[in-house]
Structure formats: structure tokens, C-alpha cells
Amino acid sequence: GLHITFATTHLGLPKEGIVNFFLNNQEEIINIHLSDYKNNTFGAHLPLGKGLLPIKMFLQSLKDRQYNGLLTLEINGDFEKLWHSIQMVKAHCNVLDADVI
């Protein structure tokens, strides 16, 4: 009865690691903490598109598999960086304004 909160930054594999982890564990994932990542101590929880993770491919996987769990943006940065990340999610997952809390 246990489930997974999947934090993309903490997996931190720049190639297809986050996509493969999602595809292999999607039945148990109920929450995703989404942020980008670079290979250094200060490179965690970056705005989407500012690191090395395949964020667009990951978002496409969420859309293709009709993920309907929670998606939490875990972004270090100001409101503008958070807004940019929200817009990226909306653009790639066909999320409506009403779906964004």
C-alpha cells in the first residue's frame, strides 16, 4: 500500500533517467516534485529548462500516460522563474489555467 513521491532533482540523471523511472513506476507514483537539475551542489531545484534533465520529454511522457496525480513545482527562484516553469508545464501537458493551483 505504499506509494511514491517522485522528485526529479533527487534522481538527478541528465539523460532519460527521469522518464524511465516514471514509465517503470507510474502505477505507484502519486506526486511528482518537478524541477530541473545540473551536476553540482547548487544545481538542484532549478526552473524547468535551466538544467540538464529532459524536461520536455518527461512532460510529454506525463501527457502520453495521462498522469493525473499531483504535480508540485519545486523551484528555487523568484516568481518570474516559477511562472516560466508553470508556462512550460501548461504548454507541454495541455493544462488549463483552471488546473493550475
Side-chain angles (χ1 to χ4, degrees):
L2 296 177
H3 297 284
I4 297 171
T5 293
F6 173 32
T8 57
T9 287
H10 298 293
L11 185 59
L13 298 173
K15 302 224 176 179
E16 295 180 22
I18 62 172
V19 174
N20 288 335
F21 185 87
F22 171 73
L23 295 176
N24 291 329
N25 297 285
Q26 66 184 19
E27 297 297 322
E28 301 303 325
I29 295 172
I30 60 169
N31 186 16
I32 297 172
H33 287 187
L34 182 59
S35 57
D36 215 332
Y37 176 80
K38 284 187 183 174
N39 293 331
N40 63 48
T41 305
F42 301 104
H45 304 240
L46 297 174
L48 303 184
K50 300 299 182 184
L52 301 173
L53 296 178
I55 295 297
K56 290 179 183 178
M57 184 187 308
F58 182 72
L59 292 173
Q60 185 64 47
S61 296
L62 297 181
K63 180 181 173 184
D64 291 347
R65 297 299 178 109
Q66 300 177 353
Y67 174 75
N68 64 357
L70 296 172
L71 183 63
T72 304
L73 291 176
E74 189 174 10
I75 306 296
N76 287 339
D78 58 18
F79 181 77
E80 184 177 326
K81 291 176 182 167
L82 179 59
W83 183 251
H84 169 77
S85 295
I86 291 169
Q87 295 308 309
M88 183 178 269
V89 170
K90 287 173 60 177
H92 288 82
C93 291
N94 293 335
V95 175
L96 303 173
D97 287 332
D99 295 331
V100 178
I101 298 175

